[in-house]
């Protein structure tokens, strides 16, 4: 077990299946209200596709009608959702972990995930650190353009040479948001608990309260659910 990246951690198992816009809105709202690191595991109410802030809508437009499309606040390529385990981690600026570099945080979170997968019987490695996987920045393209899971980069999580977990980040004055997806392998029902345990020994449960939901509904209505945001580029 590697050193856990967070001294304390709030854990939210958000059981409500939500729209793509609402899921993105809750993640942003949590970063605004977080006073300590928090991880949220969440679900989708229909097959969805998220793509990075700098992505082009034309690259994902062919999925309209098949999936609930949303532009993330974080970067990265396109990710298909519905059968994956999706999470976000919000780290407030007053937490010690925020002082570390973004890539260091990315690596430490994925090392914790590798430890969690090992506890469920799945051998995984951190790309470019624990193995010799190709971790360049050359884009891989499908009909929807750049696919996150077709192109492993440094510190992604790999199983048998395949990327099974990646993430995207956004750093602001308020803190850092990491949004991640785990997919392409059989996912144990205990994985989320093992992942949270690998992130911190000092954990407590948290719910998405009404204050968070109120802000999230506003963000979903005025930002993530709008055509102007979706077609921003």
């Amino acid at each position: 077990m590697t050193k856990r990246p967070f001294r304390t951690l709030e854990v939210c198992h958000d059981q409500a299946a939500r729209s793509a816009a609402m899921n993105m809105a809750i993640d942003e709202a949590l970063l605004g209200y977080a006073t300590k690191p928090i991880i949220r595991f969440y679900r989708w109410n229909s097959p969805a596709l998220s793509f990075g802030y700098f992505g082009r809508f034309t690259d994902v437009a062919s999925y309209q009608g098949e999936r609930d499309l949303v532009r993330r606040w974080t970067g990265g390529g396109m990710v298909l959702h519905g059968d994956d385990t999706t999470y976000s981690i919000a780290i407030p600026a007053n937490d010690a972990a925020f002082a570390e570099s973004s890539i260091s945080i990315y690596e430490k979170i994925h090392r914790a995930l590798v430890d969690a997968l090992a506890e469920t019987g799945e051998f995984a490695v951190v790309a470019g650190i624990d193995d010799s996987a190709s971790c360049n920045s050359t884009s891989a393209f499908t009909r929807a353009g750049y696919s996150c899971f077709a192109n492993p980069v440094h510190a992604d999580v790999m199983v048998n040479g395949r990327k099974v977990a990646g993430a995207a980040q956004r750093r602001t004055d308020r803190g850092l948001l990491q949004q991640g997806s785990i997919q392409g392998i059989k996912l144990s029902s205990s994985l989320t608990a093992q992942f949270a345990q690998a992130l911190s020994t000092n954990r407590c449960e948290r719910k998405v309260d009404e204050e968070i939901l109120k802000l999230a509904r506003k963000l979903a209505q005025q930002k993530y659910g709008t055509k102007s945001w979706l077609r921003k580029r």
Side-chain angles (χ1 to χ4, degrees), residues 43-56:
R43 302 168 56 211
W44 310 80
N45 63 9
S46 64
L49 183 157
S50 70
F51 63 106
Y53 178 79
F54 297 102
R56 296 180 304 173

Side-chain angles (χ1 to χ4, degrees), residues 49 57-64 66-67 78 80 140-147:
L49 183 157
F57 173 73
T58 54
D59 288 338
V60 301
S62 63
Y63 277 95
Q64 280 193 308
E66 297 178 24
R67 290 180 176 269
M78 77 149 196
L80 302 179
F141 288 86
T142 67
R143 69 180 176 125
Y146 175 58
S147 170

Side-chain angles (χ1 to χ4, degrees), residues 110 113-128 130-135 149 152-153 155-166 181-187 191:
H110 276 175
L113 178 55
V114 165
D115 288 341
L117 286 167
E119 291 296 318
T120 69
E122 192 74 63
F123 177 74
V125 296
V126 178
D130 298 330
D131 75 339
S132 57
S134 174
C135 303
F149 279 80
V153 297
D156 283 343
V157 178
M158 311 286 289
V159 171
N160 295 326
R162 294 181 298 106
K163 177 176 175 177
V164 300
S181 174
I182 309 161
Q183 57 182 268
I185 53 174
K186 184 177 180 181
L187 297 170
L191 178 59

Side-chain angles (χ1 to χ4, degrees), residues 60-233:
V60 301
S62 63
Y63 277 95
Q64 280 193 308
E66 297 178 24
R67 290 180 176 269
D68 189 8
L69 305 185
V70 69
R71 182 184 296 275
R72 295 190 303 272
W73 194 35
T74 56
M78 77 149 196
V79 181
L80 302 179
H81 302 286
D83 296 323
D84 61 333
T85 292
T86 319
Y87 73 89
S88 64
I89 296 177
I91 306 170
N94 63 358
D95 189 82
F98 180 74
E100 299 185 34
S101 69
S102 296
I103 187 58
S104 176
I105 293 169
Y106 193 92
E107 289 177 4
K108 288 182 178 182
I109 290 172
H110 276 175
R111 282 194 176 278
L113 178 55
V114 165
D115 288 341
L117 286 167
E119 291 296 318
T120 69
E122 192 74 63
F123 177 74
V125 296
V126 178
I129 300 173
D130 298 330
D131 75 339
S132 57
S134 174
C135 303
N136 57 51
S137 59
T138 303
S139 295
F141 288 86
T142 67
R143 69 180 176 125
Y146 175 58
S147 170
C148 278
F149 279 80
N151 186 52
V153 297
H154 180 81
D156 283 343
V157 178
M158 311 286 289
V159 171
N160 295 326
R162 294 181 298 106
K163 177 176 175 177
V164 300
Q169 295 178 337
R170 178 91 177 206
R171 184 183 283 268
T172 74
D173 291 341
R174 291 177 292 172
L176 182 140
L177 175 67
Q178 176 162 320
Q179 294 174 309
S181 174
I182 309 161
Q183 57 182 268
I185 53 174
K186 184 177 180 181
L187 297 170
S188 168
S189 59
S190 66
L191 178 59
T192 57
Q194 295 289 351
F195 189 15
Q197 182 177 336
L199 289 168
S200 178
T201 56
N202 185 13
R203 303 177 305 282
C204 63
E205 293 292 325
R206 174 174 177 166
K207 294 183 179 180
V208 179
D209 57 37
E210 187 56 37
E211 191 173 24
I212 296 293
L213 288 174
K214 183 178 179 180
L215 175 57
R217 292 187 193 105
K218 182 178 180 181
L219 287 168
Q221 181 180 14
Q222 298 180 2
K223 182 177 179 179
Y224 293 103
T226 65
K227 285 186 179 180
S228 60
W229 176 259
L230 185 66
R231 299 169 184 255
K232 191 178 184 69
R233 291 177 178 82

